[in-house]
Amino acid sequence: MTSRIVVIPTQRAHSNHAEVARSIGVDIIAGRYAEGTRLPGDAELIAMFGVSRPVLRESVKTLVAKGLLTTKARVGTVVRERGAWNMFDADVLAWHLDAGIDKRFLNDLAEIRLAVEPRAAVLAAGRRSEEDIAELRRCMDRMRLEASDSVRFADADLALHVAVARASGNLFMRSIGHVIEAALRASFLLSAPVEPEDRDTVLLWHQKIVDAIAAGDVAMASEAMIYVIHNGMRRHEGTVIETAPTEAPSADTGE
């Protein structure tokens, strides 16, 4: 089955070399420059972007540092295989949103979330402060006030997940949360619970996360987070998660 590609435009770069790097990066991610192929020569790229040679070279250096390109003597500048790309680089993630995210991207994002967020919720349940609990509850209040298909609802959802990472007290988890914020926001926008029943389920299980963390219930904090991630993926049109949630609630009882 062909995945639907959805473009989520991001902010433009603020310098010439950053904008050239963004443009080439988006073209690579979108497949316009395939893995293993050589980029056009310097003269052609300079003419294409209307920039100087130093600006072009700085752009290429940026893309090499992010794992998208490699330079080889007597060969030129070559697109690296996808596995070499630094997916935890904020620019690379943003360029994916510009190029268009599909089933593969959403699946990969869900898998890294499942590897990190349930554990972050467990740690948060054991380490949260009163300030952390207050912030989680503020995020829930914001979600309840906003329309499910609005940007503000997605932003409140994102703020809650970032707050869980912060409450975990683990600097690595906090950093991952901040790095993938843009991707999470796009995922939440695409999985907006527009049906009333879906909205009720989303609010219920996010509230379970908050309540479990506040109560220090590590098992429920993890279970609720796992359910929330899988439930969001089920709402992505044309997207299927191949693994089932661990101890997922039944469709009949919601427990």
Side-chain angles (χ1 to χ4, degrees), residues 59-73:
S59 304
V60 170
K61 285 181 182 178
T62 296
L63 292 166
V64 168
K66 296 177 186 299
L68 274 67
L69 294 176
T70 184
T71 55
K72 299 180 179 180

Side-chain angles (χ1 to χ4, degrees), residues 33 54 81 104 106 111-113 118 121 129 135 143 145 153 158 163 167 169 184 188 200 205 213 229 246 248:
Y33 294 124
E81 67 279 6
R104 176 179 179 178
L106 294 169
E111 287 173 357
I112 192 63
R113 291 183 65 198
S129 65
E135 174 60 19
M143 289 180 70
L145 285 173
F153 184 90
L158 171 61
L184 283 177
F188 295 159
D200 290 345
W205 283 90
I213 290 173
I229 295 170
T246 302

